[in-house]
Amino acid sequence: MTATIPTAAPDATPVETVRTEDSRTYAAALERSAVLDALIEEHATEDPARFRMLTGDRPTGPLHIGHFLASLRNRVRLQDKGVETFVVIADYQVITDRDSVGEMGVNVRGLVLDYLAAGLDPGRTTIFTHSAVPALNQLMLPFLSLVTDAELRRNPTVKDELALSDGRPLSGLLLTYPVHQAADILFCHSRIVPVGRDQLPHLEQTRAIAHRFNSRYAAGQSVFAEPEALLSDVPLLLGTDGTKMSKSKGNVINLRDTADETAARIRAARTDSERRITYDPSARPAVANLLTIAGLFFEESPESLAERVGDGGARALKALVTEAVNESLAGHRARRADLARDPAYVTSVLHDGNTRANEVAERTLATVRAVMGMSY
Ligand code: TRP
């Protein structure tokens, strides 16, 4: 860590500490999300542009059941309600906090497979990568003029990511990636951004950029509307060892894993020695986490699942969780395997999505240049 970088200060708030101010903002954001969800339910089909949605993933590795339960399933639900959907595979975001791009091509194609298997329909949903859409990336230049280095350095998510990056110095891309993410969101004029809690600071930054752009460069005309976060109501899920899900800890169940791999991972999951299974998140977090996962797949409350298992102990609990995951994902996994046999199709989905994203981005960039007096 470098002394000149304030974000690396030893008193930087650790990742899993909930700040009071944050939880107030979070509660308000949750409330707004619930209202937004009701509005989508009512009006999405008659007024799709009002609810245009963009979200995305970093292609750093395979998607796991946490992604599926907290986000993928919801994207498909919104798409099927008539919401115009854009999904960015954020390949430039991969290099914000690591030295190598890794298996970028494999990871990008893996994401596409999971999107398609989950039910995202490339006829209705635009799936694209950052690196293929130059006009999106160019928006970052005027947007960077609208933010100060102080506000970038204050971004709590950037600070947390820096703290987790093994003492790496803060790269210019990590510092400014919230602005790049604003370009992702604003290039297609999306109004709704389904995200996890950790992404709320980026949404606030995006709203500020939209607002400042309009007042500074567009004489107060609304070139960019301020988008809204749509938070998932899925609670934070832990890995099978009861700690934060992380690929490197080997505690995740990936969507592409086989039924046998899933069973083995769940068999090895941490539980406790109490025979009677109860749902008690504070006293028995690992057991509660397994009940939560099964409950989300079965669409049943963790309490009622606990009653079902009763005195069956960890063994019966694990059998139930394995059944929940494997039965619910059987269709997904079969579709994914089928699609994986047709790499040309995956390529064509990316090409079509990139073409569509380029059309939209070029139109937006043309507007931006025009209002800034830069169309020559
Ligand atoms: N930063 C997001 C994540 O790590 C991925 C992402 C990139 C994103 N661009 C986005 C999410 C735009 C929402 C909107 O999960």
Side-chain angles (χ1 to χ4, degrees), residues 16 64-66 237-254 257 261-262 264-266 268-270 289-290 293:
E16 273 151 308
H64 53 63
I65 56 170
L237 299 173
L238 302 172
T240 48
D241 60 354
T243 71
K244 194 173 168 347
M245 279 200 205
S246 149
K247 220 183 340 168
S248 55
K249 290 196 246 170
N251 64 357
V252 297
I253 299 164
N254 291 318
D257 290 351
E261 286 164 345
T262 302
R265 173 79 68 216
I266 295 172
R270 177 172 314 159
N289 183 56
L290 288 175
I293 290 172

Side-chain angles (χ1 to χ4, degrees), residues 29 52 64 68 72 100-101 137 203 212 216 238 253 256 276 292 296 346 358:
R52 184 175 276 191
H64 53 63
F68 183 82
L72 210 43
S100 114
V101 293
N137 294 300
L203 243 291
R212 290 173 199 166
R216 199 178 301 175
L238 302 172
I253 299 164
R256 62 163 198 207
R276 180 155 193 85
T292 302
L296 287 166
V346 173
N358 270 298

Side-chain angles (χ1 to χ4, degrees), residues 192-211:
I192 298 178
V193 187
V195 284
R197 180 177 188 169
D198 64 313
Q199 301 288 303
L200 287 177
H202 304 339
L203 243 291
E204 280 316 306
Q205 184 70 75
T206 302
R207 292 165 62 84
I209 289 172
H211 180 79

